[in-house]
mmCIF file of all heavy atoms in Angstrom:
data_model
loop_
_atom_site.group_PDB
_atom_site.id
_atom_site.type_symbol
_atom_site.label_atom_id
_atom_site.label_comp_id
_atom_site.label_asym_id
_atom_site.label_seq_id
_atom_site.Cartn_x
_atom_site.Cartn_y
_atom_site.Cartn_z
ATOM 1 N N GLU E 1225 103.729 68.877 117.553
ATOM 2 C CA GLU E 1225 102.874 69.375 118.632
ATOM 3 C C GLU E 1225 101.614 68.516 118.710
ATOM 4 O O GLU E 1225 100.818 68.477 117.772
ATOM 5 C CB GLU E 1225 102.496 70.841 118.382
ATOM 6 C CG GLU E 1225 101.519 71.425 119.394
ATOM 7 C CD GLU E 1225 102.034 71.296 120.820
ATOM 8 O OE1 GLU E 1225 102.968 72.020 121.170
ATOM 9 O OE2 GLU E 1225 101.491 70.432 121.549
ATOM 10 N N ARG E 1226 101.434 67.823 119.827
ATOM 11 C CA ARG E 1226 100.316 66.890 119.967
ATOM 12 C C ARG E 1226 99.119 67.506 120.675
ATOM 13 O O ARG E 1226 98.041 66.930 120.660
ATOM 14 C CB ARG E 1226 100.770 65.651 120.755
ATOM 15 C CG ARG E 1226 101.911 64.884 120.092
ATOM 16 C CD ARG E 1226 101.457 64.162 118.850
ATOM 17 N NE ARG E 1226 102.569 63.738 118.006
ATOM 18 C CZ ARG E 1226 102.447 62.964 116.945
ATOM 19 N NH1 ARG E 1226 101.259 62.528 116.593
ATOM 20 N NH2 ARG E 1226 103.502 62.646 116.212
ATOM 21 N N GLU E 1227 99.274 68.663 121.301
ATOM 22 C CA GLU E 1227 98.169 69.274 122.032
ATOM 23 C C GLU E 1227 98.105 70.764 121.711
ATOM 24 O O GLU E 1227 98.762 71.599 122.345
ATOM 25 C CB GLU E 1227 98.352 69.071 123.545
ATOM 26 C CG GLU E 1227 97.228 69.638 124.394
ATOM 27 C CD GLU E 1227 95.845 69.304 123.836
ATOM 28 O OE1 GLU E 1227 95.520 68.106 123.723
ATOM 29 O OE2 GLU E 1227 95.111 70.256 123.508
ATOM 30 N N LEU E 1228 97.309 71.094 120.698
ATOM 31 C CA LEU E 1228 97.206 72.478 120.252
ATOM 32 C C LEU E 1228 96.656 73.396 121.349
ATOM 33 O O LEU E 1228 96.994 74.573 121.416
ATOM 34 C CB LEU E 1228 96.306 72.566 119.013
ATOM 35 C CG LEU E 1228 96.897 72.004 117.715
ATOM 36 C CD1 LEU E 1228 95.846 72.069 116.601
ATOM 37 C CD2 LEU E 1228 98.140 72.787 117.299
ATOM 38 N N GLY E 1229 95.809 72.850 122.210
ATOM 39 C CA GLY E 1229 95.183 73.664 123.247
ATOM 40 C C GLY E 1229 96.183 74.316 124.181
ATOM 41 O O GLY E 1229 95.858 75.314 124.856
ATOM 42 N N ARG E 1230 97.422 73.809 124.225
ATOM 43 C CA ARG E 1230 98.447 74.401 125.089
ATOM 44 C C ARG E 1230 98.778 75.831 124.680
ATOM 45 O O ARG E 1230 99.324 76.606 125.467
ATOM 46 C CB ARG E 1230 99.745 73.573 125.031
ATOM 47 C CG ARG E 1230 99.657 72.225 125.670
ATOM 48 C CD ARG E 1230 101.035 71.620 125.909
ATOM 49 N NE ARG E 1230 101.907 71.679 124.742
ATOM 50 C CZ ARG E 1230 102.996 72.450 124.655
ATOM 51 N NH1 ARG E 1230 103.319 73.251 125.644
ATOM 52 N NH2 ARG E 1230 103.753 72.411 123.567
ATOM 53 N N HIS E 1231 98.436 76.172 123.438
ATOM 54 C CA HIS E 1231 98.796 77.490 122.906
ATOM 55 C C HIS E 1231 97.611 78.455 122.922
ATOM 56 O O HIS E 1231 97.639 79.485 122.240
ATOM 57 C CB HIS E 1231 99.337 77.329 121.489
ATOM 58 C CG HIS E 1231 100.521 76.401 121.400
ATOM 59 N ND1 HIS E 1231 101.797 76.797 121.736
ATOM 60 C CD2 HIS E 1231 100.588 75.085 121.061
ATOM 61 C CE1 HIS E 1231 102.619 75.763 121.584
ATOM 62 N NE2 HIS E 1231 101.910 74.719 121.168
ATOM 63 N N PHE E 1232 96.585 78.112 123.679
ATOM 64 C CA PHE E 1232 95.395 78.969 123.729
ATOM 65 C C PHE E 1232 95.734 80.375 124.215
ATOM 66 O O PHE E 1232 95.231 81.366 123.671
ATOM 67 C CB PHE E 1232 94.330 78.354 124.638
ATOM 68 C CG PHE E 1232 93.156 79.263 124.867
ATOM 69 C CD1 PHE E 1232 92.149 79.375 123.924
ATOM 70 C CD2 PHE E 1232 93.072 80.034 126.023
ATOM 71 C CE1 PHE E 1232 91.079 80.231 124.112
ATOM 72 C CE2 PHE E 1232 92.000 80.893 126.226
ATOM 73 C CZ PHE E 1232 91.008 80.991 125.272
ATOM 74 N N LYS E 1233 96.580 80.503 125.234
ATOM 75 C CA LYS E 1233 96.907 81.823 125.792
ATOM 76 C C LYS E 1233 97.544 82.714 124.731
ATOM 77 O O LYS E 1233 97.186 83.887 124.570
ATOM 78 C CB LYS E 1233 97.876 81.659 126.973
ATOM 79 C CG LYS E 1233 98.413 82.964 127.559
ATOM 80 C CD LYS E 1233 97.306 83.833 128.165
ATOM 81 C CE LYS E 1233 97.877 84.966 129.010
ATOM 82 N NZ LYS E 1233 98.767 85.880 128.283
ATOM 83 N N GLN E 1234 98.483 82.169 123.983
ATOM 84 C CA GLN E 1234 99.127 82.923 122.913
ATOM 85 C C GLN E 1234 98.096 83.369 121.878
ATOM 86 O O GLN E 1234 98.082 84.526 121.450
ATOM 87 C CB GLN E 1234 100.209 82.072 122.242
ATOM 88 C CG GLN E 1234 100.918 82.779 121.085
ATOM 89 C CD GLN E 1234 101.833 81.844 120.306
ATOM 90 O OE1 GLN E 1234 101.691 80.620 120.380
ATOM 91 N NE2 GLN E 1234 102.758 82.403 119.560
ATOM 92 N N LEU E 1235 97.229 82.442 121.480
ATOM 93 C CA LEU E 1235 96.207 82.751 120.485
ATOM 94 C C LEU E 1235 95.242 83.808 121.010
ATOM 95 O O LEU E 1235 94.868 84.741 120.294
ATOM 96 C CB LEU E 1235 95.446 81.475 120.111
ATOM 97 C CG LEU E 1235 94.511 81.589 118.906
ATOM 98 C CD1 LEU E 1235 95.312 81.719 117.627
ATOM 99 C CD2 LEU E 1235 93.596 80.375 118.822
ATOM 100 N N SER E 1236 94.843 83.669 122.265
ATOM 101 C CA SER E 1236 93.922 84.626 122.872
ATOM 102 C C SER E 1236 94.527 86.019 122.908
ATOM 103 O O SER E 1236 93.832 87.021 122.674
ATOM 104 C CB SER E 1236 93.562 84.160 124.287
ATOM 105 O OG SER E 1236 92.671 85.062 124.898
ATOM 106 N N ASP E 1237 95.825 86.107 123.181
ATOM 107 C CA ASP E 1237 96.504 87.408 123.184
ATOM 108 C C ASP E 1237 96.473 88.039 121.793
ATOM 109 O O ASP E 1237 96.273 89.256 121.652
ATOM 110 C CB ASP E 1237 97.952 87.247 123.647
ATOM 111 C CG ASP E 1237 98.067 86.950 125.137
ATOM 112 O OD1 ASP E 1237 97.061 87.157 125.855
ATOM 113 O OD2 ASP E 1237 99.146 86.505 125.572
ATOM 114 N N TYR E 1238 96.659 87.233 120.771
ATOM 115 C CA TYR E 1238 96.602 87.749 119.398
ATOM 116 C C TYR E 1238 95.194 88.256 119.067
ATOM 117 O O TYR E 1238 95.028 89.301 118.423
ATOM 118 C CB TYR E 1238 96.999 86.664 118.393
ATOM 119 C CG TYR E 1238 98.461 86.305 118.389
ATOM 120 C CD1 TYR E 1238 98.864 84.999 118.112
ATOM 121 C CD2 TYR E 1238 99.436 87.257 118.639
ATOM 122 C CE1 TYR E 1238 100.207 84.659 118.088
ATOM 123 C CE2 TYR E 1238 100.786 86.918 118.621
ATOM 124 C CZ TYR E 1238 101.167 85.618 118.349
ATOM 125 O OH TYR E 1238 102.486 85.282 118.329
ATOM 126 N N VAL E 1239 94.188 87.506 119.473
ATOM 127 C CA VAL E 1239 92.800 87.909 119.211
ATOM 128 C C VAL E 1239 92.523 89.272 119.833
ATOM 129 O O VAL E 1239 91.909 90.144 119.217
ATOM 130 C CB VAL E 1239 91.820 86.843 119.756
ATOM 131 C CG1 VAL E 1239 90.391 87.377 119.771
ATOM 132 C CG2 VAL E 1239 91.893 85.572 118.913
ATOM 133 N N GLY E 1240 92.995 89.484 121.065
ATOM 134 C CA GLY E 1240 92.807 90.776 121.718
ATOM 135 C C GLY E 1240 93.635 91.871 121.087
ATOM 136 O O GLY E 1240 93.160 93.001 120.887
ATOM 137 N N ALA E 1241 94.880 91.553 120.738
ATOM 138 C CA ALA E 1241 95.789 92.554 120.178
ATOM 139 C C ALA E 1241 95.309 93.082 118.839
ATOM 140 O O ALA E 1241 95.510 94.261 118.511
ATOM 141 C CB ALA E 1241 97.194 91.960 120.037
ATOM 142 N N TYR E 1242 94.660 92.224 118.050
ATOM 143 C CA TYR E 1242 94.221 92.639 116.718
ATOM 144 C C TYR E 1242 92.716 92.831 116.620
ATOM 145 O O TYR E 1242 92.179 92.994 115.527
ATOM 146 C CB TYR E 1242 94.722 91.643 115.664
ATOM 147 C CG TYR E 1242 96.221 91.739 115.488
ATOM 148 C CD1 TYR E 1242 97.081 90.892 116.167
ATOM 149 C CD2 TYR E 1242 96.785 92.727 114.684
ATOM 150 C CE1 TYR E 1242 98.457 91.004 116.037
ATOM 151 C CE2 TYR E 1242 98.148 92.848 114.534
ATOM 152 C CZ TYR E 1242 98.979 91.988 115.220
ATOM 153 O OH TYR E 1242 100.345 92.117 115.085
ATOM 154 N N SER E 1243 92.047 92.808 117.771
ATOM 155 C CA SER E 1243 90.626 93.143 117.850
ATOM 156 C C SER E 1243 89.789 92.327 116.868
ATOM 157 O O SER E 1243 89.007 92.869 116.087
ATOM 158 C CB SER E 1243 90.417 94.642 117.593
ATOM 159 O OG SER E 1243 89.118 95.050 117.931
ATOM 160 N N VAL E 1244 89.962 90.982 116.907
ATOM 161 C CA VAL E 1244 89.195 90.084 116.049
ATOM 162 C C VAL E 1244 88.345 89.156 116.913
ATOM 163 O O VAL E 1244 88.433 89.180 118.133
ATOM 164 C CB VAL E 1244 90.119 89.264 115.114
ATOM 165 C CG1 VAL E 1244 90.824 90.175 114.125
ATOM 166 C CG2 VAL E 1244 91.138 88.459 115.920
ATOM 167 N N LYS E 1245 87.524 88.345 116.260
ATOM 168 C CA LYS E 1245 86.602 87.470 116.987
ATOM 169 C C LYS E 1245 87.182 86.087 117.250
ATOM 170 O O LYS E 1245 87.048 85.545 118.341
ATOM 171 C CB LYS E 1245 85.285 87.340 116.204
ATOM 172 C CG LYS E 1245 84.242 86.438 116.878
ATOM 173 C CD LYS E 1245 82.928 86.463 116.116
ATOM 174 C CE LYS E 1245 81.904 85.500 116.717
ATOM 175 N NZ LYS E 1245 81.637 85.755 118.141
ATOM 176 N N TRP E 1246 87.830 85.501 116.229
ATOM 177 C CA TRP E 1246 88.263 84.109 116.320
ATOM 178 C C TRP E 1246 89.773 83.968 116.177
ATOM 179 O O TRP E 1246 90.428 84.778 115.510
ATOM 180 C CB TRP E 1246 87.607 83.257 115.238
ATOM 181 C CG TRP E 1246 86.127 83.111 115.368
ATOM 182 C CD1 TRP E 1246 85.443 82.507 116.387
ATOM 183 C CD2 TRP E 1246 85.137 83.566 114.439
ATOM 184 N NE1 TRP E 1246 84.100 82.552 116.153
ATOM 185 C CE2 TRP E 1246 83.864 83.202 114.960
ATOM 186 C CE3 TRP E 1246 85.181 84.235 113.231
ATOM 187 C CZ2 TRP E 1246 82.678 83.489 114.312
ATOM 188 C CZ3 TRP E 1246 83.998 84.533 112.575
ATOM 189 C CH2 TRP E 1246 82.759 84.155 113.122
ATOM 190 N N GLY E 1247 90.288 82.905 116.768
ATOM 191 C CA GLY E 1247 91.670 82.500 116.567
ATOM 192 C C GLY E 1247 91.704 81.074 116.076
ATOM 193 O O GLY E 1247 90.961 80.218 116.561
ATOM 194 N N VAL E 1248 92.567 80.791 115.099
ATOM 195 C CA VAL E 1248 92.663 79.460 114.492
ATOM 196 C C VAL E 1248 94.048 78.883 114.774
ATOM 197 O O VAL E 1248 95.065 79.525 114.473
ATOM 198 C CB VAL E 1248 92.424 79.516 112.975
ATOM 199 C CG1 VAL E 1248 92.525 78.121 112.357
ATOM 200 C CG2 VAL E 1248 91.060 80.139 112.661
ATOM 201 N N LEU E 1249 94.086 77.686 115.341
ATOM 202 C CA LEU E 1249 95.328 76.962 115.600
ATOM 203 C C LEU E 1249 95.366 75.703 114.737
ATOM 204 O O LEU E 1249 94.367 74.981 114.646
ATOM 205 C CB LEU E 1249 95.403 76.536 117.066
ATOM 206 C CG LEU E 1249 95.992 77.505 118.095
ATOM 207 C CD1 LEU E 1249 95.778 76.947 119.497
ATOM 208 C CD2 LEU E 1249 97.476 77.734 117.827
ATOM 209 N N THR E 1250 96.501 75.435 114.115
ATOM 210 C CA THR E 1250 96.599 74.192 113.344
ATOM 211 C C THR E 1250 98.038 73.713 113.276
ATOM 212 O O THR E 1250 98.983 74.511 113.355
ATOM 213 C CB THR E 1250 96.062 74.378 111.914
ATOM 214 O OG1 THR E 1250 96.035 73.108 111.254
ATOM 215 C CG2 THR E 1250 96.914 75.350 111.110
ATOM 216 N N ASN E 1251 98.198 72.403 113.142
ATOM 217 C CA ASN E 1251 99.501 71.791 112.862
ATOM 218 C C ASN E 1251 99.405 70.941 111.591
ATOM 219 O O ASN E 1251 100.261 70.103 111.335
ATOM 220 C CB ASN E 1251 99.970 70.937 114.039
ATOM 221 C CG ASN E 1251 98.934 69.888 114.446
ATOM 222 O OD1 ASN E 1251 97.935 69.686 113.741
ATOM 223 N ND2 ASN E 1251 99.154 69.231 115.579
ATOM 224 N N MET E 1252 98.341 71.152 110.803
ATOM 225 C CA MET E 1252 98.033 70.432 109.572
ATOM 226 C C MET E 1252 97.738 68.953 109.818
ATOM 227 O O MET E 1252 97.594 68.186 108.875
ATOM 228 C CB MET E 1252 99.134 70.595 108.518
ATOM 229 C CG MET E 1252 99.303 72.019 108.020
ATOM 230 S SD MET E 1252 97.769 72.785 107.382
ATOM 231 C CE MET E 1252 97.478 71.840 105.878
ATOM 232 N N ARG E 1253 97.625 68.555 111.095
ATOM 233 C CA ARG E 1253 97.044 67.267 111.456
ATOM 234 C C ARG E 1253 95.603 67.505 111.866
ATOM 235 O O ARG E 1253 94.706 66.770 111.499
ATOM 236 C CB ARG E 1253 97.813 66.611 112.599
ATOM 237 C CG ARG E 1253 97.200 65.267 113.031
ATOM 238 C CD ARG E 1253 97.796 64.725 114.327
ATOM 239 N NE ARG E 1253 99.210 64.447 114.194
ATOM 240 C CZ ARG E 1253 100.191 65.188 114.726
ATOM 241 N NH1 ARG E 1253 99.878 66.268 115.466
ATOM 242 N NH2 ARG E 1253 101.455 64.877 114.556
ATOM 243 N N GLU E 1254 95.423 68.576 112.653
ATOM 244 C CA GLU E 1254 94.095 68.999 113.063
ATOM 245 C C GLU E 1254 94.039 70.517 113.053
ATOM 246 O O GLU E 1254 95.084 71.187 112.988
ATOM 247 C CB GLU E 1254 93.762 68.460 114.457
ATOM 248 C CG GLU E 1254 94.774 68.861 115.521
ATOM 249 C CD GLU E 1254 94.470 68.260 116.874
ATOM 250 O OE1 GLU E 1254 93.317 67.852 117.086
ATOM 251 O OE2 GLU E 1254 95.386 68.226 117.728
ATOM 252 N N LEU E 1255 92.846 71.040 113.099
ATOM 253 C CA LEU E 1255 92.651 72.487 113.108
ATOM 254 C C LEU E 1255 91.559 72.803 114.123
ATOM 255 O O LEU E 1255 90.496 72.173 114.123
ATOM 256 C CB LEU E 1255 92.261 72.983 111.717
ATOM 257 C CG LEU E 1255 92.037 74.486 111.551
ATOM 258 C CD1 LEU E 1255 92.457 74.945 110.144
ATOM 259 C CD2 LEU E 1255 90.587 74.878 111.798
ATOM 260 N N LYS E 1256 91.848 73.779 115.003
ATOM 261 C CA LYS E 1256 90.895 74.157 116.042
ATOM 262 C C LYS E 1256 90.624 75.649 115.982
ATOM 263 O O LYS E 1256 91.552 76.451 115.850
ATOM 264 C CB LYS E 1256 91.426 73.763 117.421
ATOM 265 C CG LYS E 1256 91.561 72.256 117.606
ATOM 266 C CD LYS E 1256 92.026 71.894 119.016
ATOM 267 C CE LYS E 1256 92.086 70.369 119.181
ATOM 268 N NZ LYS E 1256 92.518 69.997 120.553
ATOM 269 N N VAL E 1257 89.341 75.994 116.111
ATOM 270 C CA VAL E 1257 88.921 77.389 116.101
ATOM 271 C C VAL E 1257 88.429 77.764 117.497
ATOM 272 O O VAL E 1257 87.609 77.052 118.081
ATOM 273 C CB VAL E 1257 87.795 77.623 115.068
ATOM 274 C CG1 VAL E 1257 87.350 79.088 115.087
ATOM 275 C CG2 VAL E 1257 88.266 77.220 113.674
ATOM 276 N N TYR E 1258 88.929 78.883 118.013
ATOM 277 C CA TYR E 1258 88.561 79.338 119.351
ATOM 278 C C TYR E 1258 87.899 80.707 119.279
ATOM 279 O O TYR E 1258 88.195 81.523 118.397
ATOM 280 C CB TYR E 1258 89.798 79.442 120.246
ATOM 281 C CG TYR E 1258 90.441 78.122 120.574
ATOM 282 C CD1 TYR E 1258 91.413 77.575 119.735
ATOM 283 C CD2 TYR E 1258 90.080 77.410 121.711
ATOM 284 C CE1 TYR E 1258 92.018 76.356 120.026
ATOM 285 C CE2 TYR E 1258 90.679 76.184 122.021
ATOM 286 C CZ TYR E 1258 91.642 75.673 121.173
ATOM 287 O OH TYR E 1258 92.236 74.470 121.469
ATOM 288 N N ASP E 1259 87.014 80.923 120.235
ATOM 289 C CA ASP E 1259 86.349 82.217 120.385
ATOM 290 C C ASP E 1259 86.631 82.698 121.815
ATOM 291 O O ASP E 1259 85.812 82.545 122.711
ATOM 292 C CB ASP E 1259 84.838 82.054 120.169
ATOM 293 C CG ASP E 1259 84.086 83.372 120.264
ATOM 294 O OD1 ASP E 1259 84.740 84.421 120.437
ATOM 295 O OD2 ASP E 1259 82.845 83.359 120.177
#
């Protein structure tokens, strides 16, 4: 996976579903934290 940002919608849904502040995406090449 070369563009982690493509999965923002999935991550955002998890953040809402579990009532948390941040979502973390990684492929062990890079790691991105979203709010």
Side-chain angles (χ1 to χ4, degrees):
E1225 176 56 72
R1226 300 289 164 172
E1227 182 45 60
L1228 288 176
R1230 291 195 311 111
H1231 303 281
F1232 173 80
K1233 174 63 167 59
Q1234 179 189 19
L1235 190 71
S1236 180
D1237 288 345
Y1238 288 147
V1239 168
Y1242 290 95
S1243 192
V1244 294
K1245 180 175 176 56
W1246 294 296
V1248 180
L1249 273 172
T1250 187
N1251 54 9
M1252 295 306 291
R1253 178 191 297 106
E1254 56 183 340
L1255 181 147
K1256 295 183 177 181
V1257 179
Y1258 293 88
D1259 182 3

